Amino acid sequence: MPRSPVIPLEKSLTLRSPAALVEAGLAPASAREGLDRVAERYAVAVTPAVAKLIDASDPQDPIAAQFVPTTAELTTLPEERADPIGDDAHSPVPGLVHRYPDRVLLKLVHVCAVYCRFCFRRETVGPGGPTMLGEAELEAALAYVRERPEIWEIVFTGGDPLVIAPRRLAELLERFRAIEHVKILRFHTRVPVVDPARVTAELVAALRSTGKTVYVAIHANHPRELTAEARSALARLADAGIALVSQTVLLKGINDDPETMAALMRGFVEARVKPYYLHHGDLAPGTSHFRTSIAEGQALMRALRGRLSGLAQPTYVLDIPGGFGKVPVGPDYVRADGSVIDPNGGEHDYRFHDVV
């Protein structure tokens, strides 16, 4: 029997249906019919590590809000779209996105350990389709990269690339070793946070086997996600010399206040994860209940600037719908008249010092 390319998740432990969520006490039985309709369209998975973090007695629990489906997901606004950041417009071969000159994204897998209710790829990830890129698709992606010396970095995404079994991952990464102009391999993942037991010595060894510089971007949105087990998993990666950066999505009612965001960013830094991006919510179908306004995000960033170490400051970015790329949308501290605003809101004249 051929081995699975993806580490199996114990189905009796990972909750994969509304029925399982109801049985575990994470969703009310009265909501079952509506949640079944949500699950017909969008994948559901809640790992044991996530389930034990959920406070089922709190209807506003920030962990449940991220992973337990609700019927709010059945409401799709006119401006929402299946491909909100325009991956398809920049996909020259299947599974590969080339939006920026010096890097490409490679969607190795189409499954995740958990499924975030706000995911911008929620229309394309989950069980039911192919688990991984096929061999012909992978070879086409490799050929595309080989032929373009301007490609300096490959960003492995999906799905979640760290659900791939370590031996299979090492085999895949070996194929990138010989591409001389590729210097950086970056992995976008939730695994160390939502299923930290997967971060084994074998997985760490697979990441280190490439002969390239490896970065791992860790996705977490609330400080409670940085459990002792998650921090241990992050330490295993950091101790191996793997650089860690963070990714967070700004989510209404979950992390859109300065206290929560500051605690999360400090938690990242304490775990040797450099805060990198705070993403404005994308226009994915059925996610409007998660989105703040950009003005609210800018006010949050302004509050963080006044209270938080520079080490803990992420860049607030908007991925422009339609495939036009990410741009920083943080607050502006320099006004057109030459005045500068300090972190406490004070205004200072800088016109006579700004010499070209």
Side-chain angles (χ1 to χ4, degrees):
M1 179 181 296
R3 66 177 182 274
S4 170
V6 175
I7 301 176
L9 286 165
E10 181 54 57
K11 293 184 179 180
S12 65
L13 296 177
T14 295
L15 308 174
R16 296 184 174 278
S17 68
L21 293 171
V22 169
E23 184 177 356
L26 300 183
S30 60
R32 170 73 185 278
E33 182 179 350
L35 297 187
D36 282 338
R37 286 187 286 136
V38 176
E40 287 174 3
R41 180 167 181 180
Y42 304 119
V44 174
V46 178
T47 59
V50 168
K52 74 178 184 180
L53 277 180
I54 294 174
D55 180 357
S57 68
D58 180 3
Q60 306 299 321
D61 182 70
I63 308 301
Q66 294 183 63
F67 302 105
V68 177
T70 68
T71 54
E73 296 174 53
L74 298 173
T75 300
T76 300
L77 301 185
E79 64 268 24
E80 294 177 339
R81 53 188 77 186
D83 181 21
I85 67 169
D87 278 353
D88 292 347
H90 297 278
S91 185
V93 297
L96 186 142
V97 178
H98 194 183
R99 181 180 286 109
Y100 305 104
D102 72 339
R103 59 201 180 277
V104 296
L105 283 95
L106 186 57
K107 303 175 188 178
L108 281 180
V109 289
H110 304 293
V111 293
C112 299
V114 294
Y115 294 101
C116 304
R117 309 322 306 166
F118 49 85
C119 178
F120 69 99
R121 292 198 178 110
R122 64 198 324 237
E123 296 278 10
T124 59
V125 298
T131 301
M132 294 185 64
L133 277 184
E135 177 59 30
E137 295 168 324
L138 180 61
E139 188 50 50
L142 282 161
Y144 183 91
V145 173
R146 289 189 195 107
E147 293 165 4
R148 288 163 177 80
E150 69 272 21
I151 296 175
W152 173 77
E153 178 183 23
I154 298 176
V155 181
F156 296 98
T157 181
D160 193 315
L162 295 196
V163 302
I164 300 174
R167 182 180 300 179
R168 177 59 175 149
L169 183 62
E171 291 170 353
L172 287 167
L173 297 180
E174 179 63 26
R175 302 171 73 169
F176 294 91
R177 179 192 290 271
I179 306 178
E180 175 62 26
H181 57 268
V182 172
K183 305 297 184 182
I184 308 295
L185 303 181
R186 191 197 327 170
F187 297 82
H188 286 187
T189 184
R190 254 202 183 280
V191 162
V193 170
V194 303
D195 199 2
R198 283 181 182 261
V199 183
T200 60
E202 291 76 18
L203 177 60
V204 173
L207 294 173
R208 292 190 64 196
S209 69
T210 64
K212 308 286 187 182
T213 298
V214 173
Y215 279 75
V216 175
I218 306 296
H219 179 176
N221 300 313
H222 193 274
R224 274 172 46 200
E225 295 176 61
L226 299 178
T227 61
E229 294 83 3
R231 289 172 186 253
S232 292
L234 296 172
R236 291 193 286 277
L237 294 165
D239 288 346
I242 294 170
L244 305 177
V245 297
S246 78
Q247 292 204 105
T248 293
V249 181
L250 180 59
L251 300 168
K252 183 184 295 185
I254 294 172
N255 59 18
D256 59 337
D257 63 278
E259 293 75 20
T260 300
M261 191 62 72
L264 175 61
M265 294 301 145
R266 287 183 178 128
F268 278 136
V269 174
E270 291 163 11
R272 290 181 281 173
V273 180
K274 176 66 181 78
Y276 180 39
Y277 277 151
L278 173 62
H279 293 272
H280 188 73
D282 293 311
L283 297 176
T287 65
S288 61
H289 54 295
F290 286 112
R291 285 195 297 276
T292 69
S293 68
I294 290 177
E296 289 169 325
Q298 290 173 325
L300 173 64
M301 292 303 298
R302 189 176 290 109
L304 294 183
R305 177 62 60 181
R307 71 177 66 193
L308 203 57
S309 164
L311 289 173
Q313 299 282 343
T315 299
Y316 180 37
V317 294
L318 169 69
D319 218 322
I320 302 171
F324 298 99
K326 287 188 290 293
V327 291
V329 289
D332 190 351
Y333 296 94
V334 180
R335 293 181 173 169
D337 64 2
S339 60
V340 179
I341 310 302
D342 69 35
N344 297 313
E347 186 172 333
H348 308 272
D349 189 348
Y350 196 74
R351 286 173 296 175
F352 305 111
H353 307 288
D354 192 14
V355 178
V356 177

